[in-house]
Amino acid sequence: MRIRLSDLASLVTIDIVRDGAFSTLGAATSGTADTLVFVEEPRWLRGLQGNPHVSSVLTTPALASQVPDGVAVAVCASPRRAFFELHNLLARTDGFYWTDFATEVDPTARIHPRAYVAERNVRIGAGCVVEPNATVLERSVLGAGVVLRSGCTIGSQGFEFKRVDGRILAVTHAGGVRLGDAVEVQANSAISRAVFGGFTELGSETKLDNLVHVAHNVRIGRRCLLAASAMIAGSATLGDDVWVGPGVSVSSGVTVGDGATLTIGAVVTRDVDPGQRVTGNFAVDHARFLSHLRTLR
């Protein structure tokens, strides 16, 4: 669904400088086509330069003239507030981020009577197993052979709150969770749905141990193994065949390459190369960490 900025006047208080349309909301660095973003500071304008995916901008009157030509512009006193209030409204609009459907469960799936599966907006594929007290919330899509162990939660509201004009605004999560074939999520793990439509994703054959947290917009590749109490923060990306050790924390927006190893307790705050092994807090190359450790002895 595409919406014109001029159609928003009845929803939020804005003035149109240059009208245009958008089909989703996101950050100024968004890689999704036809995106509406907000800009409150001059340095954020750099994210718009050369980004063909941004079609519309909410900004302040002082910054409007600096928005690139060809991008629609609306102004208001508090672009952040208008943006997230608009998002929360559109999240409740069927057909913008998501189109509702009745839940579909393949007849070969085994759902324990004490499991909870939402009545709408869930698809569960062939041969899936959902154990007692597992919870599958709306906007969750499970491929074939997925196993959900007791107490795990799929499709929960994520942690996204914004400080706006002296108060805290909760941001609705309007996307979903998609689990590839043969994914296994063990006991008491939680996977949050995406914020601006789309999916938090786990690739086929990826396995999560107990008490693993996967935040909104995370993308995890195929055949990854995440050990107990690992935490993958929002919008991080893990390639294929990644090993994540017990108690590892991966910071938001970090990219971990194919075949990388994050050793026990690592705190990963910057990108990890394919095949690289990192260790420590903050995590560095494993061999470099051991070399430094020897100097301490």
Side-chain angles (χ1 to χ4, degrees):
M1 178 190 297
R2 298 189 85 233
I3 297 177
R4 297 191 69 80
L5 286 179
S6 53
D7 295 333
L8 303 181
S10 61
L11 301 177
V12 291
T13 303
I14 57 174
D15 294 318
I16 308 301
V17 175
R18 190 162 59 228
D19 202 11
F22 62 94
S23 57
T24 192
L25 280 70
T29 55
S30 173
T32 303
D34 215 17
T35 298
L36 168 68
V37 306
F38 78 95
V39 173
E40 283 191 326
E41 299 180 23
R43 61 188 176 88
W44 295 1
L45 290 164
R46 291 195 294 270
L48 302 181
Q49 303 300 326
N51 185 350
H53 304 294
V54 175
S55 63
S56 306
V57 174
L58 290 177
T59 190
T60 63
L63 296 177
S65 63
Q66 300 179 54
V67 174
D69 293 341
V71 176
V73 184
V75 298
C76 59
S78 178
R80 175 186 294 264
R81 181 181 64 193
F83 178 86
F84 286 109
E85 288 180 347
L86 175 63
H87 163 72
N88 285 349
L89 288 168
L90 292 174
R92 298 192 293 271
T93 302
D94 185 30
F96 184 75
Y97 287 118
W98 186 276
T99 300
D100 284 349
F101 58 88
T103 287
E104 304 166 5
V105 179
D106 189 275
T108 64
R110 291 181 289 150
I111 313 296
H112 194 278
R114 291 203 305 274
Y116 174 80
V117 176
E119 295 180 355
R120 299 191 60 78
N121 299 316
V122 172
R123 288 193 177 97
I124 297 179
C128 289
V129 175
V130 182
E131 290 189 345
N133 303 316
T135 298
V136 185
L137 297 172
E138 289 196 26
R139 306 188 181 193
S140 298
V141 177
L142 282 59
V146 170
V147 176
L148 303 182
R149 300 296 184 192
S150 297
C152 71
T153 300
I154 310 301
S156 57
Q157 171 83 4
F159 188 81
E160 186 76 2
F161 298 90
K162 299 296 181 183
R163 297 185 186 275
V164 178
D165 300 337
R167 64 188 182 96
I168 294 178
L169 176 67
V171 178
T172 301
H173 285 56
V177 171
R178 183 160 53 202
L179 306 182
D181 295 346
V183 164
E184 181 162 336
V185 182
Q186 296 192 340
N188 299 315
S189 292
I191 305 175
S192 301
R193 61 182 181 265
V195 179
F196 298 113
F199 293 93
T200 301
E201 297 188 72
L202 274 65
S204 60
E205 298 185 73
T206 283
K207 315 294 184 184
L208 272 57
D209 196 356
N210 301 332
L211 298 168
V212 172
H213 172 60
V214 177
H216 53 233
N217 308 326
V218 167
R219 295 191 174 184
I220 298 176
R222 299 169 294 172
R223 300 177 301 277
C224 294
L225 299 173
L226 283 72
S229 298
M231 189 285 296
I232 314 300
S235 301
T237 300
L238 278 61
D240 298 336
D241 302 301
V242 173
W243 164 258
V244 179
V248 166
S249 297
V250 178
S251 187
S252 56
V254 165
T255 296
V256 178
D258 295 348
T261 296
L262 315 180
T263 69
I264 183 170
V267 178
V268 183
T269 60
R270 56 186 178 183
D271 292 353
V272 178
D273 292 335
Q276 186 178 13
R277 188 180 189 193
V278 298
T279 300
N281 181 359
F282 296 125
V284 297
D285 182 81
H286 184 70
R288 182 181 168 195
F289 178 86
L290 293 179
S291 177
H292 174 68
L293 190 62
R294 283 192 289 270
T295 68
L296 300 179
R297 293 176 178 171

